[in-house]
Amino acid sequence: MEKLELSPLKNTQLDDPFWNKYTHLVTSQIIPYQWEALNDRISDAEPSHCISNFKVAAGLKEGTFEGAVFQDTDVAKWLEAVAYSLSYQPDKELEETADEVIDLIGKAQQPDGYINTYFTVLAPEHRWKNLREGHELYTAGHLLEAAVAYYKVTGKDKFLGIMRKFADLICEVFHTEEYKQAVPGHQEIEIAMIKLAEVTGEQKYMDMAKGFIDRRGTEPNYLVSEHKNPLWIDIFKDRNAFWPKYSQCHKPVRKQNTAEGHSVRATYMYSAMADLAAAYDDKELLDACERLWNNIVERRMYITGGIGSSGAYERFTTDYDLPNDSNYCESCASIGLALFSRRMSQVTRNGKYIDTMERALYNTVLAGIAMDGKSFFYVNPLEVWPDNCLDRTSMEHVKPVRQKWFGVACCPPNIARTLASLGEYVYFQKDGDLWVNMFVSGKTALTSGEGTLTVTQSTRFPFEGKVNLHVTSDRSCESTIAFHVPAYALNYKIEINSKEVSPEFKDGYAYLKGCFKDSDIQITFDIPARFTYANPNVRADAGKVAIEKGPLVYCLEEEDNGDKLANIYINTAAPLQEQYDSALLGGTCTISAKGKRISSMNEDGQGLYLQTPPAFEETSLKFVPYCYWNNRRAGEMSVWIKYYNQ
Amino acid sequence: MEKLELSPLKNTQLDDPFWNKYTHLVTSQIIPYQWEALNDRISDAEPSHCISNFKVAAGLKEGTFEGAVFQDTDVAKWLEAVAYSLSYQPDKELEETADEVIDLIGKAQQPDGYINTYFTVLAPEHRWKNLREGHELYTAGHLLEAAVAYYKVTGKDKFLGIMRKFADLICEVFHTEEYKQAVPGHQEIEIAMIKLAEVTGEQKYMDMAKGFIDRRGTEPNYLVSEHKNPLWIDIFKDRNAFWPKYSQCHKPVRKQNTAEGHSVRATYMYSAMADLAAAYDDKELLDACERLWNNIVERRMYITGGIGSSGAYERFTTDYDLPNDSNYCESCASIGLALFSRRMSQVTRNGKYIDTMERALYNTVLAGIAMDGKSFFYVNPLEVWPDNCLDRTSMEHVKPVRQKWFGVACCPPNIARTLASLGEYVYFQKDGDLWVNMFVSGKTALTSGEGTLTVTQSTRFPFEGKVNLHVTSDRSCESTIAFHVPAYALNYKIEINSKEVSPEFKDGYAYLKGCFKDSDIQITFDIPARFTYANPNVRADAGKVAIEKGPLVYCLEEEDNGDKLANIYINTAAPLQEQYDSALLGGTCTISAKGKRISSMNEDGQGLYLQTPPAFEETSLKFVPYCYWNNRRAGEMSVWIKYYNQ
């Protein structure tokens, strides 16, 4: 298996009417805001302590460590987002700040290469002694990913050098007798080691990633027994005892058939498994990836690309268990699903994985961030009734409005690094050939031994199914460009210089060969608003319908439709009407429908249980994209709506 | 306000085809089984330690206290159930055993009267120092209730004497300067003190109950600040910090408008408030009771009489928030609602409270116990899909099958004492007049200064709406008998010696005056199976219908209707068919209906989200009483069913 490569970000410049709304937030809002947060300068948020922790660990400041055991990852994800952002918006001052943070990380590094401010400051003798909860390898992984990103975009290798020294230490420690069965409690280091191997060409990092994956769930099961070590310390005192499925170490990864446990950990692990399947040509591992991906996508994924049906433990539950109002669907888990799906398409060249990657990105990941970049969802419900999202109830994990910042702030910087690296989702490349996965305006260049292929995309996708690509090439040979053919695209058609062509269609891509000296390629397809029904095994969606258009899932909001959305029925026999409203939510296509609703009653004295059936009245309905919900006023929201057909 | 009195159990002998199934279980199963449990002789259950704890506290055994802080209440509720059971099934051996337990309690009593094995053995210096969590007054209340019951049925006063000494200590301690604002964390002592006052005629106990109610939620708020005492100890280390609403001390009880917090605590408190409103002719307190009762019954109660919408903290949430699958609806909370409603009808003489009392008893309380008396529900969902009732998820409090016994075993003995005292729900009396609240076969006698009125009920209620009462009286004067007129009873008609009479109908009772020397009274009414709709504010039930017959709520079970009950729609235009099946579930009326269901699909390769609407097929449906669910095989169950009308 030869894995397709991500197009280097520095070769891609996106400039898209749909995505600019978000990618510009990364540079204008999130990175500056988070920098203030990392330095505890946000007056109405809990202090982050992040930079302070590094200063204390470096001996530059008196004091102690404060925050969560994985607090360092906020700095890592910030640096990773900064790195990506510099590829599309160079900023000398920001780069200098980043360099200073990197210097600080270097100063906090221990002589043997170790970096982790919690353990360095608070518990040096407990280093690597609680892998279940300590998040040391997880934190190392995020710093390593940041270092690779910074090197790839800026070409500067100081951070990479610092982190490589730490990676060398990890490779050494985790091959000693004591740690030869050890694996991380929260997967992430595997992805990072693979990236380090790819950027340095050093095989031992790839082998370390493979070691962590191979050991996982095998006997003796390190995570199950490590607490017997007298140096083990209990970090998350308020949590239930560890259980293996939570961390996907209940059986060897190659024997796993269903997506289990904490959904972020799971998808990060599956992502590494896909990479390793390609790197080692490991068919058994790829089979496991396919089984796990199928289990998610065919039985355990929300229509929004959200995963994790249970609020408790942020976890997968059972097949077809997809409650809409009490789910977790962490933003980070959908990022994990996008990462896993992207890798599966890199490895298999099958566009169906891109469909799921898009589902996660266009819906849950974007819903995770407000359109002003100032607030975020951790949990992404598909149905919200604000009145019952109460603290100290079973619903307390569900917030009816986005939150400013989090104590455990994984989602905001994770969304930021994802948006800032969007180019890596849009294009793949291999041996001079280009894969166009997503329809996003902008430019990319692919230089190979034969010369350079330049592609300029121009589109109003996802609201219109029309993509213009101007392609130039200075190569003497033919090039191949593969265009993703989304499952939802009807009447997909490609024209070159206004003449329809017949490309080879294979596994969700249309393969076009040509010299492309100066070609105008136009892809057109229909993406009418459509009714989507859930598999009848999904109890929560029985009798309900959702509306999608292209990759976007739509929803009803109280703002447009009044409250008690549960009382609404849509008439699927009436046509859906689409309308682009440039004044709404920064410009969006809305969808109108006809239906009926249960008439409201006066509140008092009517009683709770009645012998007369409720009355209905006709109603018009207005749907907006799910990713834009809760950007106006707080209120009810629902994706799945009752329906009738007459 | 003059409160109607409960008919003394020793004057009532119930013998009813519907209720015998359950009341016989109390004597044949529950009391003997629990006795074994209290003595740690059940091999496959966690040891209870109850008797052992009393022996240790009495100095009769080496060892320590084990179990929950309120472990003593298991003994109390067992003794209370034993007391009631002796009223309808005398058992010399059982009574001797009870006497021995009472002797043991006496030996475990401290010289000053104090009884509590946890604090006596483990933490004597922390007595009364954590009223939030220590459950000392709650435990004292249950022991006191048991002592009153034992005295009333057997006439023996030893237990009452022991407990009266403890009650005197409580009255003393809780009037000292330190405790003058103190109230229990878990209400219960108030009910018990009122019972003690009623049985002894001693006003100070009534005043103590009133004191606890009057202080509650007033400043300085004792429960909010007691942890500042250096002798305070943290008992429930795994729980969130205390918050006032949980224990209904967020404001003075007379200012409370909505039912809040832990639903058992709430209803026990409201029950005491109703009693005190009558005892002190306290209109303001009665107004609060009415507001709180209305808030529950009009906005926060399930159709099954279950309360407590949130699995976390077993608590009330917000108006109309009644999720069917993730609710708590603890069996004990419905017992609390029945106790509160019974008292409201005693105080106001309004039969509407009896309707709600019946709703709780006939549905949730009975569902709480298996028909073989060997297993119990703590949590009573209205919709169950066993696959998603998983441990370590948001659904882990919901068990798809009844459990054998519980670590915190409040529900089984609470159900037992309720069933064993059913006679107190059936009849009230006052000044020689009789109130017939429930239609339950059996006999009662009411002796007053004028002579004795004897009533023998004979009925197949709730399956048939026909009640025969043979009444005799040796009084020279007229007597009044009030018959409850349930809200669900149509064409309610009373005949005396085959001649229709016109009683006075008032507030849900029909008042019949007569000499009743030797009268046959026949009450007939129609209780056809009926469709019931929820108020449109209840999001969870929108588009759904439930089926009731008389006081019984019905449900679909997988056993009769296959799985995926969420895919079923009932046709409300088709008539409901009732059939009595003597072979089913010990004899029950089933209800058949017509409908349609979403056709199933093969599991594999169909995908989760589909562009074609699901197909429907016609189906016949069979409903059984909710109280009998899960008495055959485990499977799906649902009370609220989607409907159409055509």
PDB file of all heavy atoms in Angstrom, chain B residues 74-99:
ATOM      1  N   ASP B  74     -32.834  -0.344  57.072  1.00  0.00           N
ATOM      2  CA  ASP B  74     -33.319  -1.628  56.556  1.00  0.00           C
ATOM      3  C   ASP B  74     -34.022  -2.419  57.653  1.00  0.00           C
ATOM      4  O   ASP B  74     -35.047  -3.064  57.412  1.00  0.00           O
ATOM      5  CB  ASP B  74     -32.161  -2.453  55.984  1.00  0.00           C
ATOM      6  CG  ASP B  74     -31.818  -2.051  54.571  1.00  0.00           C
ATOM      7  OD1 ASP B  74     -32.377  -1.049  54.081  1.00  0.00           O
ATOM      8  OD2 ASP B  74     -30.988  -2.740  53.939  1.00  0.00           O
ATOM      9  N   VAL B  75     -33.452  -2.374  58.831  1.00  0.00           N
ATOM     10  CA  VAL B  75     -34.087  -3.038  59.976  1.00  0.00           C
ATOM     11  C   VAL B  75     -35.406  -2.350  60.310  1.00  0.00           C
ATOM     12  O   VAL B  75     -36.431  -2.998  60.554  1.00  0.00           O
ATOM     13  CB  VAL B  75     -33.154  -3.006  61.206  1.00  0.00           C
ATOM     14  CG1 VAL B  75     -33.867  -3.567  62.433  1.00  0.00           C
ATOM     15  CG2 VAL B  75     -31.875  -3.785  60.928  1.00  0.00           C
ATOM     16  N   ALA B  76     -35.389  -1.015  60.258  1.00  0.00           N
ATOM     17  CA  ALA B  76     -36.591  -0.250  60.599  1.00  0.00           C
ATOM     18  C   ALA B  76     -37.727  -0.575  59.635  1.00  0.00           C
ATOM     19  O   ALA B  76     -38.857  -0.862  60.052  1.00  0.00           O
ATOM     20  CB  ALA B  76     -36.265   1.247  60.562  1.00  0.00           C
ATOM     21  N   LYS B  77     -37.422  -0.553  58.334  1.00  0.00           N
ATOM     22  CA  LYS B  77     -38.491  -0.784  57.361  1.00  0.00           C
ATOM     23  C   LYS B  77     -38.959  -2.233  57.410  1.00  0.00           C
ATOM     24  O   LYS B  77     -40.125  -2.522  57.178  1.00  0.00           O
ATOM     25  CB  LYS B  77     -38.042  -0.371  55.960  1.00  0.00           C
ATOM     26  CG  LYS B  77     -38.022   1.153  55.793  1.00  0.00           C
ATOM     27  CD  LYS B  77     -37.761   1.561  54.340  1.00  0.00           C
ATOM     28  CE  LYS B  77     -36.545   2.423  54.206  1.00  0.00           C
ATOM     29  NZ  LYS B  77     -36.157   2.749  52.854  1.00  0.00           N
ATOM     30  N   TRP B  78     -38.050  -3.128  57.725  1.00  0.00           N
ATOM     31  CA  TRP B  78     -38.449  -4.539  57.890  1.00  0.00           C
ATOM     32  C   TRP B  78     -39.422  -4.659  59.059  1.00  0.00           C
ATOM     33  O   TRP B  78     -40.486  -5.268  58.944  1.00  0.00           O
ATOM     34  CB  TRP B  78     -37.208  -5.419  58.092  1.00  0.00           C
ATOM     35  CG  TRP B  78     -37.534  -6.879  58.219  1.00  0.00           C
ATOM     36  CD1 TRP B  78     -37.781  -7.750  57.198  1.00  0.00           C
ATOM     37  CD2 TRP B  78     -37.652  -7.642  59.435  1.00  0.00           C
ATOM     38  NE1 TRP B  78     -38.044  -9.009  57.691  1.00  0.00           N
ATOM     39  CE2 TRP B  78     -37.975  -8.968  59.064  1.00  0.00           C
ATOM     40  CE3 TRP B  78     -37.511  -7.333  60.783  1.00  0.00           C
ATOM     41  CZ2 TRP B  78     -38.155  -9.984  59.996  1.00  0.00           C
ATOM     42  CZ3 TRP B  78     -37.688  -8.340  61.728  1.00  0.00           C
ATOM     43  CH2 TRP B  78     -38.016  -9.657  61.326  1.00  0.00           C
ATOM     44  N   LEU B  79     -39.077  -4.046  60.172  1.00  0.00           N
ATOM     45  CA  LEU B  79     -39.963  -4.113  61.344  1.00  0.00           C
ATOM     46  C   LEU B  79     -41.307  -3.459  61.062  1.00  0.00           C
ATOM     47  O   LEU B  79     -42.358  -3.949  61.502  1.00  0.00           O
ATOM     48  CB  LEU B  79     -39.299  -3.434  62.552  1.00  0.00           C
ATOM     49  CG  LEU B  79     -38.263  -4.276  63.296  1.00  0.00           C
ATOM     50  CD1 LEU B  79     -37.513  -3.405  64.304  1.00  0.00           C
ATOM     51  CD2 LEU B  79     -38.934  -5.467  64.018  1.00  0.00           C
ATOM     52  N   GLU B  80     -41.284  -2.369  60.310  1.00  0.00           N
ATOM     53  CA  GLU B  80     -42.543  -1.690  60.002  1.00  0.00           C
ATOM     54  C   GLU B  80     -43.417  -2.594  59.126  1.00  0.00           C
ATOM     55  O   GLU B  80     -44.624  -2.743  59.368  1.00  0.00           O
ATOM     56  CB  GLU B  80     -42.260  -0.350  59.315  1.00  0.00           C
ATOM     57  CG  GLU B  80     -43.502   0.520  59.191  1.00  0.00           C
ATOM     58  CD  GLU B  80     -43.237   1.854  58.495  1.00  0.00           C
ATOM     59  OE1 GLU B  80     -42.051   2.211  58.297  1.00  0.00           O
ATOM     60  OE2 GLU B  80     -44.214   2.523  58.127  1.00  0.00           O
ATOM     61  N   ALA B  81     -42.779  -3.235  58.126  1.00  0.00           N
ATOM     62  CA  ALA B  81     -43.533  -4.152  57.262  1.00  0.00           C
ATOM     63  C   ALA B  81     -44.057  -5.334  58.071  1.00  0.00           C
ATOM     64  O   ALA B  81     -45.198  -5.772  57.890  1.00  0.00           O
ATOM     65  CB  ALA B  81     -42.654  -4.626  56.106  1.00  0.00           C
ATOM     66  N   VAL B  82     -43.216  -5.849  58.962  1.00  0.00           N
ATOM     67  CA  VAL B  82     -43.650  -6.963  59.821  1.00  0.00           C
ATOM     68  C   VAL B  82     -44.878  -6.542  60.623  1.00  0.00           C
ATOM     69  O   VAL B  82     -45.881  -7.270  60.703  1.00  0.00           O
ATOM     70  CB  VAL B  82     -42.513  -7.410  60.764  1.00  0.00           C
ATOM     71  CG1 VAL B  82     -43.045  -8.327  61.864  1.00  0.00           C
ATOM     72  CG2 VAL B  82     -41.398  -8.106  59.971  1.00  0.00           C
ATOM     73  N   ALA B  83     -44.803  -5.353  61.213  1.00  0.00           N
ATOM     74  CA  ALA B  83     -45.929  -4.867  62.024  1.00  0.00           C
ATOM     75  C   ALA B  83     -47.209  -4.863  61.206  1.00  0.00           C
ATOM     76  O   ALA B  83     -48.232  -5.454  61.609  1.00  0.00           O
ATOM     77  CB  ALA B  83     -45.621  -3.459  62.545  1.00  0.00           C
ATOM     78  N   TYR B  84     -47.169  -4.241  60.029  1.00  0.00           N
ATOM     79  CA  TYR B  84     -48.381  -4.173  59.209  1.00  0.00           C
ATOM     80  C   TYR B  84     -48.858  -5.566  58.823  1.00  0.00           C
ATOM     81  O   TYR B  84     -50.052  -5.854  58.835  1.00  0.00           O
ATOM     82  CB  TYR B  84     -48.123  -3.347  57.937  1.00  0.00           C
ATOM     83  CG  TYR B  84     -47.748  -1.901  58.178  1.00  0.00           C
ATOM     84  CD1 TYR B  84     -46.783  -1.270  57.398  1.00  0.00           C
ATOM     85  CD2 TYR B  84     -48.367  -1.142  59.169  1.00  0.00           C
ATOM     86  CE1 TYR B  84     -46.437   0.065  57.604  1.00  0.00           C
ATOM     87  CE2 TYR B  84     -48.022   0.191  59.387  1.00  0.00           C
ATOM     88  CZ  TYR B  84     -47.050   0.779  58.598  1.00  0.00           C
ATOM     89  OH  TYR B  84     -46.721   2.089  58.814  1.00  0.00           O
ATOM     90  N   SER B  85     -47.901  -6.438  58.476  1.00  0.00           N
ATOM     91  CA  SER B  85     -48.291  -7.770  57.999  1.00  0.00           C
ATOM     92  C   SER B  85     -49.003  -8.566  59.103  1.00  0.00           C
ATOM     93  O   SER B  85     -49.875  -9.376  58.818  1.00  0.00           O
ATOM     94  CB  SER B  85     -47.069  -8.536  57.487  1.00  0.00           C
ATOM     95  OG  SER B  85     -46.325  -9.084  58.564  1.00  0.00           O
ATOM     96  N   LEU B  86     -48.597  -8.320  60.338  1.00  0.00           N
ATOM     97  CA  LEU B  86     -49.245  -9.050  61.441  1.00  0.00           C
ATOM     98  C   LEU B  86     -50.717  -8.681  61.558  1.00  0.00           C
ATOM     99  O   LEU B  86     -51.514  -9.440  62.121  1.00  0.00           O
ATOM    100  CB  LEU B  86     -48.522  -8.770  62.762  1.00  0.00           C
ATOM    101  CG  LEU B  86     -47.086  -9.316  62.851  1.00  0.00           C
ATOM    102  CD1 LEU B  86     -46.407  -8.835  64.138  1.00  0.00           C
ATOM    103  CD2 LEU B  86     -47.051 -10.849  62.765  1.00  0.00           C
ATOM    104  N   SER B  87     -51.090  -7.538  60.987  1.00  0.00           N
ATOM    105  CA  SER B  87     -52.503  -7.133  61.036  1.00  0.00           C
ATOM    106  C   SER B  87     -53.352  -8.003  60.123  1.00  0.00           C
ATOM    107  O   SER B  87     -54.539  -8.174  60.353  1.00  0.00           O
ATOM    108  CB  SER B  87     -52.658  -5.657  60.653  1.00  0.00           C
ATOM    109  OG  SER B  87     -52.539  -5.486  59.252  1.00  0.00           O
ATOM    110  N   TYR B  88     -52.783  -8.530  59.073  1.00  0.00           N
ATOM    111  CA  TYR B  88     -53.601  -9.370  58.187  1.00  0.00           C
ATOM    112  C   TYR B  88     -53.129 -10.808  58.136  1.00  0.00           C
ATOM    113  O   TYR B  88     -53.811 -11.664  57.599  1.00  0.00           O
ATOM    114  CB  TYR B  88     -53.712  -8.770  56.769  1.00  0.00           C
ATOM    115  CG  TYR B  88     -52.432  -8.628  55.958  1.00  0.00           C
ATOM    116  CD1 TYR B  88     -51.993  -9.644  55.116  1.00  0.00           C
ATOM    117  CD2 TYR B  88     -51.692  -7.449  56.009  1.00  0.00           C
ATOM    118  CE1 TYR B  88     -50.839  -9.492  54.352  1.00  0.00           C
ATOM    119  CE2 TYR B  88     -50.539  -7.293  55.250  1.00  0.00           C
ATOM    120  CZ  TYR B  88     -50.116  -8.323  54.421  1.00  0.00           C
ATOM    121  OH  TYR B  88     -48.978  -8.166  53.673  1.00  0.00           O
ATOM    122  N   GLN B  89     -51.958 -11.080  58.683  1.00  0.00           N
ATOM    123  CA  GLN B  89     -51.516 -12.465  58.755  1.00  0.00           C
ATOM    124  C   GLN B  89     -50.740 -12.680  60.042  1.00  0.00           C
ATOM    125  O   GLN B  89     -49.510 -12.626  60.058  1.00  0.00           O
ATOM    126  CB  GLN B  89     -50.680 -12.837  57.524  1.00  0.00           C
ATOM    127  CG  GLN B  89     -50.345 -14.317  57.508  1.00  0.00           C
ATOM    128  CD  GLN B  89     -49.875 -14.758  56.147  1.00  0.00           C
ATOM    129  OE1 GLN B  89     -50.466 -14.421  55.118  1.00  0.00           O
ATOM    130  NE2 GLN B  89     -48.795 -15.516  56.106  1.00  0.00           N
ATOM    131  N   PRO B  90     -51.457 -12.942  61.138  1.00  0.00           N
ATOM    132  CA  PRO B  90     -50.770 -13.164  62.415  1.00  0.00           C
ATOM    133  C   PRO B  90     -49.762 -14.302  62.282  1.00  0.00           C
ATOM    134  O   PRO B  90     -50.024 -15.275  61.560  1.00  0.00           O
ATOM    135  CB  PRO B  90     -51.898 -13.525  63.376  1.00  0.00           C
ATOM    136  CG  PRO B  90     -53.146 -12.975  62.730  1.00  0.00           C
ATOM    137  CD  PRO B  90     -52.917 -13.070  61.261  1.00  0.00           C
ATOM    138  N   ASP B  91     -48.603 -14.147  62.918  1.00  0.00           N
ATOM    139  CA  ASP B  91     -47.527 -15.132  62.774  1.00  0.00           C
ATOM    140  C   ASP B  91     -46.706 -15.041  64.053  1.00  0.00           C
ATOM    141  O   ASP B  91     -45.894 -14.137  64.227  1.00  0.00           O
ATOM    142  CB  ASP B  91     -46.698 -14.771  61.530  1.00  0.00           C
ATOM    143  CG  ASP B  91     -45.566 -15.758  61.281  1.00  0.00           C
ATOM    144  OD1 ASP B  91     -45.061 -16.362  62.254  1.00  0.00           O
ATOM    145  OD2 ASP B  91     -45.178 -15.901  60.118  1.00  0.00           O
ATOM    146  N   LYS B  92     -46.970 -15.999  64.950  1.00  0.00           N
ATOM    147  CA  LYS B  92     -46.363 -15.946  66.277  1.00  0.00           C
ATOM    148  C   LYS B  92     -44.839 -15.965  66.216  1.00  0.00           C
ATOM    149  O   LYS B  92     -44.160 -15.211  66.910  1.00  0.00           O
ATOM    150  CB  LYS B  92     -46.875 -17.153  67.090  1.00  0.00           C
ATOM    151  CG  LYS B  92     -46.750 -17.011  68.582  1.00  0.00           C
ATOM    152  CD  LYS B  92     -47.739 -17.916  69.303  1.00  0.00           C
ATOM    153  CE  LYS B  92     -47.461 -17.927  70.803  1.00  0.00           C
ATOM    154  NZ  LYS B  92     -46.179 -18.559  71.150  1.00  0.00           N
ATOM    155  N   GLU B  93     -44.315 -16.820  65.362  1.00  0.00           N
ATOM    156  CA  GLU B  93     -42.867 -16.968  65.268  1.00  0.00           C
ATOM    157  C   GLU B  93     -42.225 -15.673  64.763  1.00  0.00           C
ATOM    158  O   GLU B  93     -41.207 -15.212  65.283  1.00  0.00           O
ATOM    159  CB  GLU B  93     -42.569 -18.119  64.302  1.00  0.00           C
ATOM    160  CG  GLU B  93     -41.155 -18.667  64.413  1.00  0.00           C
ATOM    161  CD  GLU B  93     -40.925 -19.748  63.347  1.00  0.00           C
ATOM    162  OE1 GLU B  93     -41.906 -20.469  63.006  1.00  0.00           O
ATOM    163  OE2 GLU B  93     -39.804 -19.844  62.837  1.00  0.00           O
ATOM    164  N   LEU B  94     -42.883 -15.093  63.736  1.00  0.00           N
ATOM    165  CA  LEU B  94     -42.365 -13.839  63.187  1.00  0.00           C
ATOM    166  C   LEU B  94     -42.407 -12.743  64.244  1.00  0.00           C
ATOM    167  O   LEU B  94     -41.467 -11.952  64.385  1.00  0.00           O
ATOM    168  CB  LEU B  94     -43.195 -13.436  61.959  1.00  0.00           C
ATOM    169  CG  LEU B  94     -42.813 -12.129  61.275  1.00  0.00           C
ATOM    170  CD1 LEU B  94     -41.392 -12.205  60.722  1.00  0.00           C
ATOM    171  CD2 LEU B  94     -43.804 -11.814  60.146  1.00  0.00           C
ATOM    172  N   GLU B  95     -43.501 -12.723  65.012  1.00  0.00           N
ATOM    173  CA  GLU B  95     -43.641 -11.700  66.048  1.00  0.00           C
ATOM    174  C   GLU B  95     -42.563 -11.866  67.119  1.00  0.00           C
ATOM    175  O   GLU B  95     -42.004 -10.893  67.611  1.00  0.00           O
ATOM    176  CB  GLU B  95     -45.051 -11.766  66.654  1.00  0.00           C
ATOM    177  CG  GLU B  95     -45.372 -10.560  67.518  1.00  0.00           C
ATOM    178  CD  GLU B  95     -46.859 -10.498  67.919  1.00  0.00           C
ATOM    179  OE1 GLU B  95     -47.701 -11.005  67.151  1.00  0.00           O
ATOM    180  OE2 GLU B  95     -47.139  -9.936  68.977  1.00  0.00           O
ATOM    181  N   GLU B  96     -42.229 -13.110  67.420  1.00  0.00           N
ATOM    182  CA  GLU B  96     -41.152 -13.350  68.402  1.00  0.00           C
ATOM    183  C   GLU B  96     -39.810 -12.865  67.861  1.00  0.00           C
ATOM    184  O   GLU B  96     -39.012 -12.278  68.590  1.00  0.00           O
ATOM    185  CB  GLU B  96     -41.075 -14.848  68.725  1.00  0.00           C
ATOM    186  CG  GLU B  96     -42.114 -15.284  69.740  1.00  0.00           C
ATOM    187  CD  GLU B  96     -42.200 -16.818  69.878  1.00  0.00           C
ATOM    188  OE1 GLU B  96     -41.267 -17.504  69.389  1.00  0.00           O
ATOM    189  OE2 GLU B  96     -43.199 -17.291  70.443  1.00  0.00           O
ATOM    190  N   THR B  97     -39.595 -13.141  66.588  1.00  0.00           N
ATOM    191  CA  THR B  97     -38.347 -12.663  65.974  1.00  0.00           C
ATOM    192  C   THR B  97     -38.277 -11.143  66.039  1.00  0.00           C
ATOM    193  O   THR B  97     -37.243 -10.556  66.368  1.00  0.00           O
ATOM    194  CB  THR B  97     -38.271 -13.135  64.505  1.00  0.00           C
ATOM    195  OG1 THR B  97     -38.384 -14.541  64.476  1.00  0.00           O
ATOM    196  CG2 THR B  97     -36.965 -12.713  63.862  1.00  0.00           C
ATOM    197  N   ALA B  98     -39.406 -10.509  65.701  1.00  0.00           N
ATOM    198  CA  ALA B  98     -39.452  -9.045  65.758  1.00  0.00           C
ATOM    199  C   ALA B  98     -39.171  -8.556  67.175  1.00  0.00           C
ATOM    200  O   ALA B  98     -38.408  -7.599  67.381  1.00  0.00           O
ATOM    201  CB  ALA B  98     -40.805  -8.543  65.276  1.00  0.00           C
ATOM    202  N   ASP B  99     -39.749  -9.221  68.144  1.00  0.00           N
ATOM    203  CA  ASP B  99     -39.505  -8.827  69.538  1.00  0.00           C
ATOM    204  C   ASP B  99     -38.023  -8.932  69.894  1.00  0.00           C
ATOM    205  O   ASP B  99     -37.482  -8.098  70.619  1.00  0.00           O
ATOM    206  CB  ASP B  99     -40.340  -9.699  70.487  1.00  0.00           C
ATOM    207  CG  ASP B  99     -41.826  -9.324  70.456  1.00  0.00           C
ATOM    208  OD1 ASP B  99     -42.132  -8.159  70.099  1.00  0.00           O
ATOM    209  OD2 ASP B  99     -42.658 -10.188  70.783  1.00  0.00           O
TER     210      ASP B  99
END
